Structure formats: C-alpha cells, structure tokens
Amino acid sequence: MPKNENLFSSWRGWRRRVTSRLVHRGWRAVQRAGAVTAERPGPYRFGRIGVGTRLAFPQGTLFGEPWIELGEHCVIGEQVTLTAGMMPGVDLGPDPVLRIGNGVVLGRGSHVIASVPVEFGDDVFCGPYVYVTSDNHSYDDPEQPIGRQWPRSAPVHIGPGSWLGAGAVILPGARLGRNVVVAAGAVVRGEVPDHAVVAGAPARIIRRWAPEEGWQPPLRTPAPVPIPEDMTVEQLLALAELEREQERAGEQARQRGQAGERGLEEAREVDLEREPGAGAS
C-alpha cells in the first residue's frame, strides 16, 4: 500500500476515535444535566422528591406529578414511566395517588400507572421493565372496542423490602407483603404473604419462610457472606488482590504438578526402553 494511503487510513481511524469520545462525553453531560432531583426538578412539579432521589435522563412518560410522592434516596432508571390519573391535566383531589417509599429502585424501562392509590414500601428493588398498574382493561361490552371501555381499577400495595424481577407485572388489587420475591416475568394478582417467593403467570407461591422451619422448600445454595460494614474500599481492593495472588499461586502449583507427572511418565518410558529385550517381538 502506498505511503500516503497508510497516512490517510491512520488519520481516518484517529478521527473516528476522537468523534466517538466526544459523542460519549457529550451524552454523559446531557444525562447529568437532564437528571431530575429535588434541587433540579426541571419542568416537573412532583408532590415530593426526597433528598438523594434521582430520576435518570431520559425520563419516560411523566404526568400527574402533583399527586406523585418520591421518598429519599430513590434510584429511578432511564425511560421509567410514572403517571397519576388516566390522563394529564386531571384534578385528582387533595391526597397523593402514587407513593414511593425511601430507598426504592425502579429499573430501566419500568412503568408505574396509578389512577387509584399505588404504594411502594421502603427499600423495594425492581429490575428492568417491571410493570405496576392499578388499572386493567375491561371487555364487558362485546360491541365496543376494548380500549374504549372504562377500565377496572383497584389499589396496589408492595411491601417494604420486596424484590421484583425483570419483566414482572403487578396487576390491580395486588397486595404484596414484606420481603416478597417476585420472579422475572411473573404476573401477580391478589394477596401475597410476607417472606414468600412467587413465580409464573398467574403467579403462585413456590417458597415460603417459616420461623420454626426456615425456608420451605430449603434453599439450594448457602447464604453469601456479607461484606463487613466497617471495611474500607482500600481493604476491599487489598482483599481482591490477595485472592488473585492465591489463584495465581494455585494455578502455578497445578502446572508444576502436571509438569512433574509428565516428567515421571517420560522417565518410566526411558526405563522401559533401557530394559533388556524391551520392545522385542
């Protein structure tokens, strides 16, 4: 390839790399500027935004904000929809309709639709694309399009400490207890007791915790060892490096062992060759 073509190709590659860096840097700046917090609510007027709560940019559909209350230290992911009422511009009265407790996490692309009270307890964690609604289409009239018929509505309550897996659907009237696990893709309606695991569509209880017996059926794996609260970042990094060194030492020991076995095998073959009559027919 001629020298000038090499230079032109290198310049084009450099230009693409610089452009990529600039695009990503600019998008991060846009995300920071577009995030919604109590100090920077943007165009939205929520009934309450607690300290430390952040709605990532870009937001999903948001309306009825005066009837939405967000607790403290919540993490609301990108493209999350939060709505109060059937449509924007409706007066819903003096009381909040959608209440989200402290420390709640709503994963990317999740939807929470509330025309009657929907409440999240503290420390509820939701994976991406979770759907929680107080409204469901009705189809009583066979002559009318289903989308034009008035929906059935019922309050929803999600107990504190619960975990909703990716793609879970919580239907009108659902009441989840404390520390409930909803498996990914489950469709939940009705009552779910405290400390239960539900899965399926419709969801059913597959595991429960009892004070006398523990988890039934028993968990298949041991509980993970938690990180001590007083451990610093530097100590964690040092521990990780120590584990890597131990893994390297173990790998070297295995390699030495394999090399020793190969050496013994080669020595046996040499001895066999030296024996009188070895290899004779």
Side-chain angles (χ1 to χ4, degrees):
M1 182 180 293
K3 185 176 181 181
N4 59 344
E5 290 188 16
N6 282 329
L7 291 173
F8 184 69
S9 177
S10 300
W11 182 82
R12 283 192 305 178
W14 175 84
R15 187 179 63 178
R16 284 195 295 266
R17 290 193 296 272
V18 170
T19 302
S20 176
R21 292 193 190 101
L22 291 175
V23 167
H24 284 279
R25 187 179 301 170
W27 178 242
R28 286 195 293 269
V30 169
Q31 287 179 308
R32 287 193 296 270
V36 170
T37 64
E39 297 78 19
R40 296 184 300 173
Y44 306 109
R45 297 295 178 264
F46 286 95
R48 175 174 179 258
I49 302 181
V51 174
T53 288
R54 180 185 178 94
L55 287 77
F57 181 86
Q59 291 88 34
T61 301
L62 300 175
F63 63 76
E65 310 98 273
W67 293 272
I68 299 176
E69 293 187 351
L70 307 175
E72 299 178 357
H73 303 290
C74 296
V75 177
I76 312 298
E78 296 179 16
Q79 299 290 355
V80 169
T81 288
L82 301 174
T83 65
M86 293 289 186
M87 61 188 69
V90 178
D91 188 347
L92 303 177
D95 300 321
V97 175
L98 172 55
R99 292 186 180 185
I100 294 179
N102 299 326
V104 171
V105 175
L106 289 175
R108 177 189 178 93
S110 294
H111 287 60
V112 183
I113 313 297
S115 65
V116 296
V118 172
E119 182 177 8
F120 286 68
D122 294 342
D123 300 311
V124 173
F125 281 59
C126 301
Y129 306 106
V130 167
Y131 192 92
V132 179
T133 181
S134 66
D135 309 288
N136 208 351
H137 289 291
S138 58
Y139 47 90
D140 301 73
D141 187 344
E143 302 300 326
Q144 287 290 329
I146 292 172
R148 296 183 180 275
Q149 298 187 43
W150 198 254
R152 284 180 166 84
S153 302
V156 173
H157 176 80
I158 300 172
S162 294
W163 161 249
L164 279 59
V169 177
I170 311 298
L171 293 176
R175 293 191 60 83
L176 279 63
R178 182 183 186 87
N179 281 34
V180 167
V181 176
V182 178
V187 180
V188 183
R189 58 182 302 176
E191 299 272 346
V192 179
D194 294 348
H195 306 292
V197 180
V198 296
R204 62 181 182 85
I205 296 174
I206 61 171
R207 180 173 279 121
R208 289 192 65 180
W209 184 84
E212 302 82 10
E213 302 172 342
W215 286 104
Q216 297 298 322
L219 299 173
R220 293 190 292 270
T221 57
V225 179
I227 298 173
E229 293 183 0
D230 57 350
M231 182 168 282
T232 65
V233 174
E234 291 76 13
Q235 289 172 328
L236 286 173
L237 293 173
L239 182 61
E241 181 60 30
L242 178 61
E243 291 178 350
R244 285 194 291 268
E245 290 179 359
Q246 291 174 343
E247 290 177 358
R248 286 194 292 266
E251 181 62 26
Q252 290 172 358
R254 284 192 295 272
Q255 291 175 356
R256 286 195 296 268
Q258 292 172 357
E261 291 177 0
R262 286 195 299 269
L264 289 174
E265 185 64 28
E266 291 172 357
R268 292 193 193 98
E269 292 177 357
V270 170
D271 290 341
L272 288 173
E273 292 175 356
R274 290 177 176 175
E275 288 181 3
S281 57

